[in-house]
Amino acid sequence: MIITDVEAVILKQPSIELIGDGSQDTVVILVHTDEGITGIGEVDSNPYVVKAIIESPASHMACIGLRDIIVGEDAFDVEKIWLKMYEKSIYYGRRSVAIHAMSGIDMAIWDAIGKKTGLPVSKLLGGTFRTKIKAYCSILMPDNEADIQALVDRHMVKGYQGLKFGWGAFGQDYKKDVQLVRWARKALGDDKILLTDIGMLWKDVKMAVSTAREFEKEDVFWIEEPFGPDDLESYKYLRDRVNVHISGGEEVGTLYEFDELLSRGCVDVVQPDLSRCGGLTVARKLTDMARMHKVTIVPHAFKTNILMAATLQYIAALPDAWYLEFCEQDTPLRQTLTNPVFAVDNEGFVEISQKPGLGIDLDWDVFEYYRVK
Ligand SMILES: [Mg+2]
């Protein structure tokens, strides 16, 4: 199944707000093959930079655009393709957005292999440990009690057993963060799981420890990305001093970076984003690495249903899995880009597709409507 072309198509809602919501736009990756099969992927990064990295003509042998690197390759050689992309983009690549772009291509290649073989990607990754997974509701943190209560009332009737408030009002002021968590716990009641995401904004480790201890009193299950992704010393400092789980890793790409995050004991929960970390090819190796470090994998996913579909397949193949992150943003791309649209059942679970590949099709009318021409 020879790769004949790679497209990077930017989709975007009419206006973009500068908030922590990656579902306002996306870049869909289409990997075409000579079998007439097209694999679908997406990338959660700057879509315009991703598109340039894929479509760029070659400069010299270590500076080739990703499309030119992989056209002509057999899609089944997915490991070989990954390494070839890494090595032939190495002057401008190695980390960050080149790895993001590779992730979307890798996702699409796994989808194409699944479609060709008639198998769900979870089977290709080593086997299906589960056919459904408990979801947590993932939404942005409002700045007042009434809005927190309204969001809890709106979403928790759907069956969720847990909810994460992230970004938004968090991280501006340590005392306010404690207040926000108290309001959230009051709104949720005592029996639901409360997760928090500081959006990388805490800077002072001592204040972080005292704030996290207040979070502990409200039975917060995890504190996600309290610090920036390069501030590993602060992660370790905080993790060693509190009983709340510390999570992070959505900014991390390549096994080199995951190795450093886990070897230095920075997190209890690692959160690879399959559209940024290097794709399923990297994430499936992280599965073993995380088990060796006694760290649980809960992938990050705050994009369209393409990423959710890939995330579900990955979760199906994890020996240990706690949750699916279920982005509840109302953006059109989040809600309408694929068929089927995933839903939470009344016990808080999402079913994992057993169809070939990622188990989704694009809604091509939606795709064309939001396509940046
Ligand atoms: Mg996060």
Side-chain angles (χ1 to χ4, degrees), residues 136 164 166-167 197-199 224-225 250-251 271 276 300 325:
Y136 73 80
K164 181 174 85 187
W167 294 54
D197 182 348
I198 306 302
E224 177 173 328
E225 284 203 313
E250 71 180 80
E251 324 295 337
Q271 298 169 293
R276 282 204 293 261
H300 174 262
E325 176 170 23

Side-chain angles (χ1 to χ4, degrees), residues 42-44 99-101 103-104 107 273-277 279 307:
E42 77 172 325
V43 183
D44 190 355
I99 300 299
H100 304 164
S103 305
M107 190 187 295
D273 186 310
L274 299 175
S275 74
R276 282 204 293 261
C277 72
L307 176 59

